[in-house]
Amino acid sequence: MRYGISTVVLGRTDLEAALHRIAVAGFEQIEILTEPPHLWPGDHEPQQVLALLDQLGLHARVGHGIYSHGNPNCGSLDEVKRRQAVTQIATCFEPLVAVGAEFVVLHPTGYSLDYTDENRPRVIDQVRRSMAELSAIAADVGIRPAWENLPHHHTSRPLHDMTELCSLINEMPANVGLCLDTTHALIAGHDPLEQLNIAAHRLLCLHLHDSDGAGDRHWVPGQGIIEWNPFIARLDEMGFTGTRTIEVVSTDETEDLVLTEAAAMARKWEGEGSV
């Protein structure tokens, strides 16, 4: 399959078992988390993970950078914490390159409720510093950062709109780009297709999942209210060659069903499109 799936779908399962189950479901592309119990830096030997991927016919073309463990915040107004966040996030770059990743998805801001109209401009300045520092580290290592749009949750959280996020990305070197998350766009009040068109010139990665519009559901595409036909058609029209990751979550009871449904949607899109 050319559409991939994030290992977050089996986020409670150890990495080896998760990879086996994803391969059995029929996927060939994955986005690998750098969160425990998956590719957390120091917990796995990357060359062994690469050998397992090869054995299973999987390709981890993209990884998701550290985002929750200790809540690294690239926009922290505490300069010490911002620098610590950059250092911590950068620890996942070399392990990702070692397992074959070309891209790493990164979060520009931290906890969604930490923002006010007053601190918003200062947060953006801090994110700009972090982006510049991480882009330089990534270039040295050989991986391309893809900065993700995050929902505002009715707060003053910045950079949820691709117009605003592009204004920073356009200042960055050519190795830096964007990851468009469809549900994050939807629940922040944006049209995912419109956001796709805004981000197109720097788009590297996609997080494809659905929602009822009320929350970050991470449902299989087609189970919510996003209009997928024009979105996928536009991707093919663009000739988009980056990663197309289905980023869905499951419970212990629904893991197999969600994997099966996600694989069915991937096959459907591949049969209809030019990928």
Side-chain angles (χ1 to χ4, degrees):
M1 289 186 185
R2 298 291 297 278
Y3 281 82
I5 194 163
S6 169
T7 64
V8 75
V9 68
L10 298 174
R12 298 166 302 280
T13 304
D14 73 85
L15 182 59
E16 183 173 352
L19 295 178
H20 275 278
R21 290 174 65 184
I22 286 169
V24 168
F27 285 97
E28 297 172 2
Q29 301 280 344
I30 63 167
E31 177 174 300
I32 192 165
L33 292 187
T34 58
E35 293 282 326
H38 295 171
L39 197 66
W40 180 250
D43 282 1
H44 299 275
E45 172 49 55
Q47 291 304 319
Q48 293 178 1
V49 175
L50 179 61
L52 178 61
L53 291 169
D54 289 343
Q55 175 190 329
L56 295 173
L58 295 173
H59 182 195
R61 192 178 174 204
V62 57
H64 200 307
I66 297 167
Y67 62 91
S68 68
H69 197 84
N71 191 30
N73 181 4
C74 289
S76 176
L77 296 177
D78 183 321
E79 180 62 10
V80 172
K81 290 182 178 179
R82 186 196 69 79
R83 289 173 181 264
Q84 289 172 342
V86 167
T87 300
Q88 183 182 21
I89 291 167
T91 62
C92 74
F93 290 178
E94 289 189 2
L96 284 172
V97 170
V99 300
E102 302 170 45
F103 311 109
V104 56
V105 175
L106 300 177
H107 287 184
T109 54
Y111 183 58
S112 65
L113 304 183
D114 285 345
Y115 308 97
T116 65
D117 289 341
E118 291 72 28
N119 70 24
R120 202 173 188 275
R122 290 185 291 141
V123 169
I124 293 173
D125 283 342
Q126 293 291 79
V127 172
R128 179 184 284 109
R129 292 185 181 93
S130 297
M131 282 184 174
E133 292 168 12
L134 284 165
S135 71
I137 298 168
D140 288 342
V141 172
I143 197 165
R144 301 183 67 185
W147 292 89
E148 181 179 3
N149 59 310
L150 302 174
H152 55 62
H153 295 299
H154 308 291
T155 73
S156 296
R157 186 187 208 171
L159 307 173
H160 54 81
D161 184 342
M162 280 296 182
T163 300
E164 190 176 38
L165 197 49
C166 280
S167 69
L168 292 188
I169 295 299
N170 290 340
E171 301 174 7
M172 300 295 146
N175 68 307
V176 181
L178 296 163
C179 173
L180 172 60
D181 185 297
T182 52
T183 288
H184 291 173
L186 178 73
I187 64 176
H190 307 300
D191 176 0
L193 179 56
E194 180 183 71
Q195 294 285 288
L196 172 62
N197 285 324
I198 293 168
H201 69 296
R202 296 294 287 265
L203 189 63
L204 300 178
C205 305
L206 290 164
H207 282 170
L208 305 168
H209 50 108
D210 219 329
S211 171
D212 55 4
D216 197 9
R217 307 300 189 201
H218 287 267
W219 290 344
V220 173
Q223 297 181 352
I225 65 172
I226 291 177
E227 295 184 19
W228 289 103
N229 288 342
F231 188 93
I232 299 300
R234 177 62 179 138
L235 283 177
D236 289 337
E237 181 183 83
M238 288 164 46
F240 177 68
T241 59
T243 61
R244 307 184 185 200
T245 299
I246 297 175
E247 192 191 39
V248 288
V249 298
S250 66
T251 65
D252 290 338
E253 294 74 24
T254 64
E255 287 175 344
D256 290 336
L257 177 62
V258 169
L259 267 174
T260 298
E261 291 176 339
M265 180 55 68
R267 284 192 294 268
K268 176 178 183 292
W269 280 340
E270 288 165 1
E272 294 173 348
S274 60
V275 218

